[in-house]
Structure formats: C-alpha cells, structure tokens
Amino acid sequence: MEKKYPPLEITAPIVFAFIFVLIMIFSRLEPHVEDVDAAYVKAHTGKAGYVLVDARPLESFLGKSPRPGFPGGHIPGAVNFPPEDLSSRPHIVSALLAKEGITDDKTVIIYCNTGVLSGRLADQLVRRFNFSSSKIKNYRGGTVEWAKDPKNILLPPDHETGFVTDQDSQRFKGK
C-alpha cells in the first residue's frame, strides 16, 4: 500500500512558518550589543568603569589613513585592540585584554572606521570571552563620523586625514 502525503501547497507554508518561528525564537536568545553615538563616547570616555577600544589595525590607530576618505589616528583615550589579536589561545588573549584594561567588569566602547571591525570584536568578546553583552557598546559611526565634527580631535595631531585634495576635505565637512 502506497503512503499518501499532503500536497506540497499545504506542507510548504507550514514548514516555512515553523522555520520562521524558530529563527525568531533563536534571534531573541542572541546576545545584543547596543550601538552608541558620538555623544555617548564623549560622555563616557575616561570615566571610571569604561574603556574605549579602537578595533582597527595598529597603523591606523597610530595615524595612517587606511584608504581615501578614512582618517587615520584614534579618539583620545582609546586603546588599540584589533579583532585579529583574538586569534591566540583564550588564556593568552585574556591576559592581553586585561593588559589593555579590557575586562568584563567595565563597559567596553568599541569603534573602528564604520562599525564592521568593532562589531566583530564586540561579538567575539561576548561569545568567546563571556563578556556581558549589556556591557559592550559599538560606536558604529567610528572615526569617519567622529572626524566630521571639527570639535572632535583624532590623535596623533599629525594623523593622515584620508583626503586626497583640499576640495575633498571641504566636501567631507559639508562646507
């Protein structure tokens, strides 16, 4: 005797609905890292219990522009810790993090150029090193947004701006 199955028109929507519900349930269980803005960074940098982390390569942190339109240098008060530094064994990385003041008892504000590398570092701190997602903040605007406000400085003072010409600089600042 041959088994009869319900038609695909009936089973497919049920299967898709079931998968959708599972995705919704599991996405709520994922740790959520809060995105913050420049005002948050300014208000909390240098305060006890906070650490500002630049997730870009050391060359960019020290002032080299990573590419046209992206400034080199770092926000004053930041420490440098690129996501690649997480590739060692966990106990070695934990010691490196602690050396830079990046510990799970502090609120960690992470930035890069535009939020991609900082998001990667934030994710790894939560998943691999058990930092509380509520204590990790991602400044998605990064150095690109930071540099748009002439009141904000990047260090060192002679950092590369990332502008090819003065005209690019004027257009970037909206003048």
Side-chain angles (χ1 to χ4, degrees), residues 1-20:
M1 187 159 131
E2 189 178 322
K3 276 190 170 182
K4 296 240 178 190
Y5 294 100
L8 190 58
E9 299 83 30
I10 295 173
T11 57
I14 293 170
V15 170
F16 285 123
F18 178 72
I19 292 170
F20 179 76

Side-chain angles (χ1 to χ4, degrees), residues 131-162:
F131 280 64
S132 169
S133 61
S134 66
K135 294 201 126 210
I136 305 291
K137 312 297 180 193
N138 187 14
Y139 173 34
R140 283 198 174 274
T143 57
V144 171
E145 179 183 275
W146 186 265
K148 287 181 181 179
D149 184 342
K151 291 181 238 158
N152 296 339
I153 62 168
L154 290 170
L155 297 175
D158 63 344
H159 70 277
E160 295 177 2
T161 63

Side-chain angles (χ1 to χ4, degrees), residues 2 12-13 17-18 24 27 39 59 63 68 92 103 106 118 138 164 166 171:
E2 189 178 322
F18 178 72
M24 293 304 293
S27 69
E59 302 82 38
I92 294 172
T103 56
K106 293 182 182 171
S118 55
N138 187 14
V164 179
D166 285 340
R171 189 170 45 242

Side-chain angles (χ1 to χ4, degrees), residues 69-150:
F70 289 76
H74 60 275
I75 298 172
V79 297
N80 183 238
F81 203 92
E84 298 81 46
D85 289 356
L86 297 175
S87 61
S88 295
R89 294 186 178 142
H91 69 282
I92 294 172
V93 175
S94 293
L96 291 172
L97 289 166
K99 181 181 173 206
E100 295 297 337
I102 306 167
T103 56
D104 61 4
D105 62 331
K106 293 182 182 171
T107 298
V108 181
I109 307 166
I110 309 170
Y111 73 92
C112 59
N113 292 317
T114 61
V116 176
L117 282 176
S118 55
R120 224 178 280 154
L121 180 57
D123 183 60
Q124 290 297 309
L125 290 177
V126 172
R127 291 179 190 275
R128 281 188 61 208
F129 298 95
N130 299 316
F131 280 64
S132 169
S133 61
S134 66
K135 294 201 126 210
I136 305 291
K137 312 297 180 193
N138 187 14
Y139 173 34
R140 283 198 174 274
T143 57
V144 171
E145 179 183 275
W146 186 265
K148 287 181 181 179
D149 184 342

